[in-house]
């Protein structure tokens, strides 16, 4: 009887710890999803304000795109969305960036229809593109970002590649360490760290991020998202 009581008690504790772990993971995911770069918002509003003063008729269209993107980042209750849905709002972001930088920014999308219904974290691609815009356009006149998707029997792969100046070996190793660490000090590259952590929390099973960069050729970020059972 004592052994049975003890086993029942251990089972109850195990169930409680599992539930607490799930709740902690959910809270961490929500915290990570809530982080939105304020510089993007500030710079976009400044561009809109300047355009309105010049009588630009496209300003209203860009305000609608910005509103849609902000609503998606704040209000959507789903922990996961389809790639189709996330790409829809990524296009809003890309439209805003093209509006701000005109001919200095270009992008290419290569996304097969077979990948569009795969689940992914909300805003998993936008911060990666934002990193390229933030760091590459400070140093060179133009930027092209290529976004691709493909899948095999185990994973969906999402790749964001730019034609920037690339990273030094030292910076690349520092970034890889930051991405791989479960806990790490605050970094200006927290967007990449957040995405990697969200993939690990939500999908597990080998899901994660790979970072590659070649000086003078550009940088590539590859997301690996495990297929999930129904």
């Amino acid at each position: 009887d004592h052994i049975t009581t003890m086993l029942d008690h251990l089972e109850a504790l195990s169930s409680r710890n599992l539930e607490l772990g799930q709740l902690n993971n959910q809270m961490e995911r929500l915290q990570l999803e809530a982080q939105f770069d304020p510089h993007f918002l500030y710079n976009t509003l400044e561009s809109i304000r300047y355009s309105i003063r010049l009588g630009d008729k496209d300003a209203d269209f860009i305000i609608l795109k910005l509103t849609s993107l902000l609503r998606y980042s704040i209000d959507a209750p789903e922990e996961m969305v389809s790639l189709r849905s996330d790409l829809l709002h990524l296009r809003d972001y890309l439209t805003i960036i093209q509006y701000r930088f005109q001919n200095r920014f270009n992008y290419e999308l290569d996304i097969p229809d077979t990948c569009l219904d795969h689940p992914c974290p909300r805003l998993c691609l936008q911060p990666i593109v934002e990193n390229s815009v933030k760091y590459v356009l400070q140093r060179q006149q133009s930027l092209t970002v290529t976004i691709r998707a493909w899948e095999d029997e185990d994973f969906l792969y999402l790749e964001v590649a730019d034609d920037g100046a690339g990273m030094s070996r030292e910076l690349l190793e520092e970034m890889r360490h930051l991405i791989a660490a479960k806990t790490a000090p605050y970094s200006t590259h927290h967007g990449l760290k957040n995405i990697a952590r969200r993939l690990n929390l939500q999908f597990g099973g080998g899901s994660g991020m790979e970072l590659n960069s070649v000086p003078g050729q550009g940088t590539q970020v590859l997301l690996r998202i495990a297929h999930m059972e129904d």
Side-chain angles (χ1 to χ4, degrees), residues 143-212:
L143 166 67
T144 298
V145 172
T146 302
I147 302 165
R148 299 196 303 133
W150 68 94
E151 59 182 341
D152 60 22
E153 61 183 11
D154 298 314
F155 297 99
L156 169 71
Y157 300 91
L158 301 175
E159 179 191 78
V160 179
D162 66 47
D163 61 351
M167 302 180 189
S168 65
R169 172 57 59 178
E170 294 76 17
L171 178 58
L172 179 60
E173 290 304 319
E174 177 185 340
M175 291 290 299
R176 284 174 172 172
H177 177 75
L178 174 69
I179 291 169
K182 289 186 177 180
T183 59
Y186 177 81
S187 167
T188 55
H189 302 285
H190 63 85
L192 296 183
K193 170 65 180 176
N194 285 357
I195 296 169
R197 184 64 177 152
R198 288 166 61 193
L199 289 175
N200 181 262
L201 287 171
Q202 288 181 254
F203 293 88
S207 300
M209 175 186 293
E210 295 180 13
L211 179 64
N212 294 288

Side-chain angles (χ1 to χ4, degrees), residues 27-47:
M27 291 303 295
E28 183 175 354
R29 286 199 302 266
L30 292 173
Q31 182 182 20
L32 293 175
E33 290 171 0
Q35 298 191 25
F36 201 91
D37 191 344
H39 295 289
F40 162 72
L41 180 58
Y42 172 79
N43 291 331
T44 301
L45 290 174
E46 278 294 295
S47 296

Side-chain angles (χ1 to χ4, degrees), residues 20-65:
L20 287 174
Q22 292 172 338
L23 287 173
N24 286 336
N25 285 349
Q26 183 182 30
M27 291 303 295
E28 183 175 354
R29 286 199 302 266
L30 292 173
Q31 182 182 20
L32 293 175
E33 290 171 0
Q35 298 191 25
F36 201 91
D37 191 344
H39 295 289
F40 162 72
L41 180 58
Y42 172 79
N43 291 331
T44 301
L45 290 174
E46 278 294 295
S47 296
I48 292 172
R49 184 177 70 89
Y50 183 73
S51 298
I52 290 175
R53 293 183 64 180
L54 294 178
D56 188 347
K57 295 181 180 179
D58 291 331
D60 182 65
F61 174 72
I62 296 301
I63 290 174
L64 291 176
K65 293 294 183 183

Side-chain angles (χ1 to χ4, degrees), residues 10 22 31-33 61 66 80 101 113 134 151 178 193 217 222 230:
L10 288 175
Q22 292 172 338
Q31 182 182 20
L32 293 175
E33 290 171 0
F61 174 72
L66 179 61
M80 290 179 286
F101 292 99
D113 291 343
K134 182 177 179 180
E151 59 182 341
L178 174 69
K193 170 65 180 176
Q217 296 185 24
L222 178 66
D230 292 339

Side-chain angles (χ1 to χ4, degrees), residues 61-85:
F61 174 72
I62 296 301
I63 290 174
L64 291 176
K65 293 294 183 183
L66 179 61
T67 301
S68 174
L69 182 60
L70 292 176
R71 183 180 294 115
Y72 177 68
S73 68
I74 296 172
D75 292 343
E78 300 89 352
E79 295 178 1
M80 290 179 286
V81 298
S82 68
L83 179 59
R84 183 191 312 274
S85 175

